[in-house]
Amino acid sequence: MRQQEDSPLANSAPDTAMAGANGGNSPDPYISVKSLWKVFGRNPERVLQPEFADKDKAFFQSEFGNVVGLRDVNFEVKKGETFVIMGLSGSGKSTLVRCLLRLIDPTSGEINIAGEDITGMTDKELVDFRRAKIAMVFQHYGLMPHRNVLDNAAWGLEVQGITKEERYERTRKTLAIVGLDGWEDSYPRQLSGGMQQRVGLARALVVNTDILLMDEPFSGLDPLIRRQMQDELLNLQTDLQKTIVFITHDLNEALKLGDHIAIMHDGAVAQIGSPEDIVLRPEDEYVGDFTQDVRLESVLTATKVMVAPKATVMGRQGPRAALHTIGESDGDVGWVVDSHGKYVGLLTISSAERALRAGVKRFDEAWDYVDCNYLPVSPVTTFDSLIPIAMASDYPIPVVNDERVLVGEVHRGALAEAIAETSSVDQDYAANAALNAANAALEEDEDQE
């Protein structure tokens, strides 16, 4: 999941590691879906015949009376990432998430989750798998009105047969994580919509499953509360590292939360990619129409413009070595890192010269000469956050990874060039779209003649 980008990453002690959005991901898919079809109606298998491969949904409905809910869907999700499935009503996104759990059975295809074939499970195996591996958060919270917050959130543990003492202990900790500490004895009717959704989220988290399936969980909330819940989920995911499949019809929500996004149209996947891929490189007109009004600054990240650090100074080094390193880089500053390469702070030439005059031998014994409050950003920090930082400083912006290791720097000039370049791309796309529309109109006129 993309890190929350409202502020740079906090910089506390030099050796403090930073929890990351995708730390420890395995390269192998944790969820794999291959050639998944769901056809409603009688004799659904006939829709899958090769001779009908080029037919659309309208053909099957008019000729056979079948409704194609999913059409040859393929995607993979890595462990620890947030995979967003996005589409308008009727696109197939909710059908897809229900097939993943086999709340409805697919017509054909493969669903492999955590190394297990879901489509081949018996009913008992499926129930056990759901309880152990997957939790769901729905748009409608499904809270029991006669139960207080504590008992509502603890319900999944109660179903598992966990003792009252243990489930209450675990649930109280989870309620504190989602910001409901002190509300344990309240009832759903006493809570706002956002707070009720927090109870639903706590109920999913407390069972400690590896996977969260979230079906339009925030769509019923007011815009302000919805943004707050999105931010809350970003913060939680940074710490918890769940594998999340998130369903939404809101492109801005998808771009904010998703590591990868699948856009669905008429039961098929129109495009899968990172938020930047989806916005900058739409593969067809449908995706292009979806993304044409997106502000690129809200999608493009530091990864696009960062370069390798030009001057890195070890904390165990002294000012003489630092001045040499900075001078060789043709810059004005160096980045001080510890013995593990983790970012500590900014060192200017003037500070290094002062340290030299003061007889400092090692910077890790004289941190006062290093600006440890010059905050780094993560590679997924958007241009929206980078621009004000760049405008407020004469120095580059340091970029660190999930472990706080220095991985790059962003220069104001590169940021400006990227913005100009993407604006040009946006104009080119608009021109091409207009040209395509003109050609289509011309062809229609010719047909009428």
Side-chain angles (χ1 to χ4, degrees):
M1 178 178 291
R2 295 154 67 86
Q3 291 227 12
Q4 190 168 350
E5 296 147 0
D6 292 338
S7 63
L9 300 167
N11 182 14
S12 52
D15 284 326
T16 301
M18 177 185 66
N22 289 315
N25 280 0
S26 165
D28 298 324
Y30 198 55
I31 300 174
S32 175
V33 173
K34 297 180 180 178
S35 301
L36 193 67
W37 288 75
K38 177 58 185 178
V39 181
F40 299 94
R42 299 180 60 183
N43 302 321
E45 292 79 8
R46 60 187 167 183
V47 171
L48 278 61
Q49 299 304 311
E51 59 264 32
F52 301 132
D54 61 342
K55 302 300 183 182
D56 58 17
K57 290 179 66 173
F59 170 84
F60 296 116
Q61 191 157 4
S62 62
E63 294 296 319
F64 302 145
N66 293 112
V67 175
V68 179
L70 297 175
R71 184 185 185 112
D72 195 24
V73 172
N74 298 270
F75 65 87
E76 294 180 346
V77 182
K78 292 180 181 178
K79 187 175 178 64
E81 81 166 321
T82 299
F83 187 87
V84 176
I85 299 171
M86 192 209 135
L88 301 178
S89 297
S91 63
K93 60 186 188 297
S94 293
T95 300
L96 175 55
V97 76
R98 281 158 175 74
C99 280
L100 292 181
L101 273 177
R102 273 190 54 199
L103 295 175
I104 56 176
D105 286 322
T107 303
S108 70
E110 299 178 20
I111 303 172
N112 192 290
I113 301 178
E116 300 190 55
D117 179 12
I118 303 303
T119 56
M121 286 183 176
T122 64
D123 289 344
K124 182 182 183 306
E125 290 172 336
L126 195 55
V127 169
D128 292 341
F129 180 83
R130 290 171 182 163
R131 287 180 177 174
K133 286 287 184 182
I134 298 179
M136 283 204 72
V137 183
F138 296 95
Q139 173 183 349
H140 304 290
Y141 327 118
L143 303 183
M144 292 167 273
H146 61 286
R147 287 188 167 216
N148 62 22
V149 166
L150 183 63
D151 285 322
N152 262 293
W155 181 75
L157 296 179
E158 184 177 343
V159 170
Q160 292 181 359
I162 304 299
T163 65
K164 186 174 184 178
E165 182 179 4
E166 181 181 349
R167 71 174 181 261
Y168 277 7
E169 180 182 359
R170 288 170 58 179
T171 303
R172 288 181 189 278
K173 292 179 180 178
T174 305
L175 287 172
I177 289 173
V178 300
L180 288 176
D181 190 18
W183 292 87
E184 294 86 350
D185 296 328
S186 301
Y187 286 84
R189 66 180 180 275
Q190 299 172 301
L191 306 179
S192 66
M195 294 176 73
Q196 290 184 43
Q197 189 59 283
R198 288 173 188 267
V199 179
L201 183 57
R203 183 173 56 194
L205 293 174
V206 74
V207 292
N208 199 28
T209 59
D210 294 334
I211 300 169
L212 288 178
L213 298 185
M214 308 186 75
D215 189 5
E216 300 267 13
F218 307 144
S219 62
L221 302 176
D222 292 337
L224 178 60
I225 303 299
R226 182 171 187 164
R227 287 194 297 272
Q228 291 174 349
M229 289 301 298
Q230 292 166 357
D231 292 341
E232 190 72 32
L233 183 60
L234 283 168
N235 291 329
L236 286 172
Q237 177 65 344
T238 299
D239 295 330
L240 299 178
Q241 300 290 292
K242 298 293 185 181
T243 302
I244 300 177
V245 178
F246 191 101
I247 310 298
T248 184
H249 65 272
D250 186 316
L251 179 61
N252 289 322
E253 185 169 69
L255 296 173
K256 181 175 182 177
L257 299 179
D259 294 312
H260 288 92
I261 301 169
I263 294 185
M264 297 196 67
H265 178 52
D266 284 345
V269 174
Q271 184 173 344
I272 295 177
S274 68
E276 184 174 318
D277 289 333
I278 295 293
V279 173
L280 291 184
R281 292 172 284 276
E283 294 181 357
D284 61 24
E285 187 175 355
Y286 180 79
V287 178
D289 288 343
F290 247 118
T291 61
Q292 63 180 336
D293 295 327
V294 173
R295 293 178 56 258
L296 296 178
E297 290 86 349
S298 68
V299 178
L300 298 177
T301 65
T303 303
K304 183 174 179 61
V305 291
M306 73 179 188
V307 296
K310 293 184 177 181
T312 302
V313 179
M314 302 294 293
R316 64 174 179 267
Q317 290 181 306
R320 195 176 302 277
L323 286 167
H324 175 76
T325 299
I326 296 172
E328 288 288 310
S329 73
D330 293 326
D332 298 322
V333 298
W335 310 118
V336 180
V337 299
D338 67 12
S339 58
H340 301 290
K342 294 180 181 179
Y343 176 79
V344 176
L346 169 79
L347 179 67
T348 65
I349 288 179
S350 61
S351 293
E353 289 173 342
R354 285 193 299 108
L356 182 63
R357 291 193 296 269
V360 170
K361 302 299 182 185
R362 301 165 55 116
F363 284 110
D364 56 10
E365 296 175 352
W367 289 123
D368 288 346
Y369 293 95
V370 179
D371 185 356
C372 296
N373 293 317
Y374 194 80
L375 300 181
V377 299
S378 80
V380 296
T381 302
T382 64
F383 280 23
D384 269 344
S385 295
L386 291 173
I387 291 170
I389 299 172
M391 295 302 293
S393 174
D394 294 328
Y395 306 126
I397 304 169
V399 183
V400 298
N401 68 9
D402 295 345
E403 286 73 42
R404 205 179 180 81
V405 173
L406 182 68
V407 295
E409 62 188 40
V410 173
H411 292 258
R412 184 190 299 174
L415 199 57
E417 289 177 10
I419 293 171
E421 176 188 338
T422 52
S423 297
S424 174
V425 170
D426 201 28
Q427 290 170 4
D428 288 345
Y429 178 81
N432 288 334
L435 182 59
N436 290 336
N439 288 335
L442 182 61
E443 292 174 0
E444 184 177 341
D445 290 343
E446 290 176 349
D447 290 341
Q448 290 175 351
E449 291 175 0

